[in-house]
Amino acid sequence: MIYDSIIIGGGPSGMTAALYLLRAGKKVLLLEKETIGGQIALSPRLENYPSIVSISGEEFSDRLFSQITDLGADFELEEATGVEKEQDVFTVQTNYGSHQSKTVILASGCSHRCLGIPGEKEFTGKGVSYCAVCDGPFFAGKEVLLIGDANTALQYAISLSEICKKVTIATLFDRFFADEVLQKKLQTLNNVEIHHGLCSISIEKEGEKLQTLFMDTNAKKAVSFLSDGVFVAVGQKPHNEPFEKVVELKNGFIVTDEEMRTKTPGLFACGDCRTKKLRQVVTATNDGAIAANSANCYLQSL
């Protein structure tokens, strides 16, 4: 079978693209290598999506998945390992075989870089977070610890300082790597405390708070901080290596235009896998709708 579109990635962006194409009467195959919903499926609460006051990330993902499968989407739990185009037909290679289509939408997402320390995974969603935009409001009036030293970390710290009682910043190196304007802004905040040169060791539960243990690489001694929440901002990792032959990458992310088109005609990208400033569920669904519309226009031109 040759599908109208194969969508690689079952997060909000990919499923929204499927929704729009299915409603346009197209035959769609959705490929997902791990978990439907992507990162948002792991979030205990989603409270910044328009019209939805509060919902778990898992329920949000399940609802969207049911919506597209009820409309006739085919689904396979397979990992895409490559994409090739010959004339007007794409072949998507997976760890189980291959599928063909007239268009492909890449919605492979990205993942937050983790510290890889004991307790981090255990308390993710239970005090440990990777997104201050998403989860910061849950810690309003409380004390939080932020681990990181680049632009995103400082942007998070500034944002958290506006709603939290205290923000403690722990950097893994002896200085910040953020823009000077962010560093100067940080120095004006009275409720922000900065500690440089700390190597993270573990995160543990201490009563109702989290205790994060570090090794001070300068003083050669262990230090720890008690906080209501821990925000980890040490970068994001896209998963676009299998597609590097058919797209342009910038810092690992896929370059697209505003219509989600890549350098290969008929190949589109949307959501967190592409170059963009804000990675949220609402921007992912926006991308997915645009990618689907562009794919539909391309199909009409064949």
Side-chain angles (χ1 to χ4, degrees), residues 126-163:
K126 302 174 183 177
V128 173
S129 173
Y130 299 86
C131 180
V133 177
C134 313
D135 300 331
F138 300 140
F139 298 91
K142 299 182 179 181
E143 298 185 355
V144 298
L145 171 68
L146 187 143
I147 303 173
D149 46 41
N151 281 343
T152 297
L154 268 65
Q155 288 167 350
Y156 280 1
I158 293 168
S159 175
L160 289 167
S161 73
E162 297 174 354
I163 59 174

Side-chain angles (χ1 to χ4, degrees), residues 215-234:
M215 174 60 68
D216 188 322
T217 55
N218 296 317
K220 305 297 182 183
K221 65 177 183 180
V223 296
S224 64
F225 301 101
L226 280 176
S227 62
D228 296 292
V230 177
F231 287 86
V232 180
V234 293

Side-chain angles (χ1 to χ4, degrees), residues 202-272:
S202 65
I203 300 174
E204 301 173 354
K205 193 75 171 179
E206 184 70 24
E208 295 299 317
K209 296 181 178 290
L210 291 177
Q211 177 173 269
T212 307
L213 182 65
F214 296 89
M215 174 60 68
D216 188 322
T217 55
N218 296 317
K220 305 297 182 183
K221 65 177 183 180
V223 296
S224 64
F225 301 101
L226 280 176
S227 62
D228 296 292
V230 177
F231 287 86
V232 180
V234 293
Q236 293 181 311
K237 181 182 179 181
H239 308 285
N240 296 322
E241 295 88 352
F243 320 120
E244 59 186 1
K245 293 182 180 180
V246 288
V247 299
E248 177 187 352
L249 298 180
K250 182 178 181 180
N251 297 323
F253 293 92
I254 300 171
V255 176
T256 72
D257 63 10
E258 292 186 357
E259 302 303 318
M260 308 300 147
R261 293 176 293 213
T262 69
K263 72 174 187 179
T264 301
L267 180 64
F268 309 88
C270 56
D272 289 359

Side-chain angles (χ1 to χ4, degrees), residues 17-67:
L19 174 64
Y20 274 70
L21 283 169
L22 290 162
R23 288 174 59 85
K26 306 306 179 186
K27 188 64 176 175
V28 175
L29 170 64
L30 182 71
L31 300 176
E32 168 56 48
K33 66 177 181 179
E34 291 178 346
T35 304
I36 282 296
Q39 293 183 65
I40 195 60
L42 304 177
S43 177
R45 285 180 289 176
L46 172 62
E47 296 185 346
N48 60 354
Y49 195 87
S51 82
I52 298 178
V53 176
S54 183
I55 190 174
S56 73
E58 182 178 12
E59 183 180 358
F60 177 84
S61 303
D62 288 345
R63 286 186 182 183
L64 189 48
F65 183 65
S66 295
Q67 189 175 13

Side-chain angles (χ1 to χ4, degrees), residues 107-208:
S108 50
C110 68
S111 58
H112 296 285
R113 293 188 186 277
C114 298
L115 299 169
I117 59 175
E120 180 182 14
K121 183 177 181 180
E122 177 184 355
F123 295 113
T124 294
K126 302 174 183 177
V128 173
S129 173
Y130 299 86
C131 180
V133 177
C134 313
D135 300 331
F138 300 140
F139 298 91
K142 299 182 179 181
E143 298 185 355
V144 298
L145 171 68
L146 187 143
I147 303 173
D149 46 41
N151 281 343
T152 297
L154 268 65
Q155 288 167 350
Y156 280 1
I158 293 168
S159 175
L160 289 167
S161 73
E162 297 174 354
I163 59 174
C164 294
K165 180 180 179 181
K166 180 181 179 181
V167 179
T168 300
I169 303 177
T171 75
L172 306 181
F173 296 90
D174 60 356
R175 61 188 176 90
F176 288 122
F177 296 89
D179 293 340
E180 187 69 23
V181 64
L182 294 175
Q183 296 187 49
K184 288 182 177 180
K185 173 64 176 178
L186 205 63
Q187 292 170 3
T188 68
L189 303 176
N190 296 324
N191 62 337
V192 174
E193 184 178 294
I194 301 169
H195 297 267
H196 288 302
L198 301 181
C199 180
S200 53
I201 296 175
S202 65
I203 300 174
E204 301 173 354
K205 193 75 171 179
E206 184 70 24
E208 295 299 317

